[in-house]
Amino acid sequence: MRIAFIGLGNMGGGMAANLADAGHEVRAFDLSAEALQRAAESGCETFGSIEEAVEGAEAVVSMLPNGAIVKEVYTAHVIGRARLDAILIDCSTIDVATAREVEQIAADAGYAMVDAPVSGGIAAAAAGTLTFMVGGGEEAFRRAEAVLQPMGKAVIHAGGPGAGQAAKICNNMMLGIHMIGTCEGFAMAQRLGLDPQVFYDIASVSSGQSWSVTSYCPVPGVGPQTPADNDYQGGFATALMLKDLRLAMEAADTAGTEPKMGRHAKQLYEAFEAAGNGALDFSAIIKTI
Ligand code: NAD
């Protein structure tokens, strides 16, 4: 397929490379010259504008920083320029309201569009093992699924427009809460005289088990290799966790619900970021406990 890819940063760079490796013709655009250079080295054809990149493309995939940029990219540069039968797939993490708004604008112009945010970080993007949560109609999902498959280990239809973003922020709100709870449990166990490895062996097969315990343990030297073993470098940055918690609280306000633990997690991550830790992996919050 001929696929336009817009946004070749930490995530998009690896994703576009996997599409090229799968044999697709990838037409790449990014504002950053370095990102474009890396895309060219990984087998993509690069262009000087979005309009050129989307020319003749059967699918348009984007991986951009936020909702305002996604709206600008689609309404000013993609819609009306891409082929009318191109499937539009936004993989960025953005607010549910903007995702729905842009999908409606696309639909009014005659395009099929889905929101398809991901679970999994930069390593999963490079390895092609992301999980995609897709919001959109049945037919649009089927078309998007074929495009997303080379980039992921799972492509799941979450529901109608915006449902992918809703699933993503609810999932990541749970993750933020679980991680803080895991940090509190390990810190307290240690204060009570337990060896962290022994506590890991117990919690990982008991009811305190979670992904934060068994796959992403915040204590160095315990469990599988995690950012904790690398002084909390790499992994999923605190700033990105905070972005997702903020989106979750925005969505909670719109939905008229009050997730108290989610709000508290957001406050704790805000304080952690304000203390200069935005670039550290989000499990580094254990240092504050
Ligand atoms: P990034 O900042 O590394 O990449 C974003 C890219 O978009 C940059 O290369 C930037 O130059 C480009 N860009 C910005 N405005 C543009 C425009 N108008 N036209 C074309 N290109 C433009 O960010 P990232 O880490 O790759 O994250 C991308 C998205 O993925 C975000 O929505 C983020 O929340 C989400 N996400 C990130 C991770 C992660 O671990 N990094 C995990 C899951 C989801």
Side-chain angles (χ1 to χ4, degrees), residues 210-233:
S210 70
W211 185 86
S212 298
V213 173
T214 45
S215 297
Y216 218 87
C217 188
V219 181
V222 175
Q225 188 79 15
T226 67
D229 300 311
N230 190 27
D231 207 13
Y232 303 97
Q233 303 299 315

Side-chain angles (χ1 to χ4, degrees), residues 100-152:
R100 290 190 173 142
E101 187 190 347
V102 177
E103 282 168 53
Q104 189 58 53
I105 295 169
D108 291 345
Y111 291 91
M113 180 170 186
V114 298
D115 49 298
V118 306
S119 177
I122 300 162
T129 55
L130 294 166
T131 293
F132 290 91
M133 310 161 208
V134 185
E138 193 66 50
E139 169 65 13
F141 168 73
R142 265 197 300 278
R143 294 175 61 202
E145 190 180 20
V147 177
L148 296 173
Q149 235 136 27
M151 301 185 280

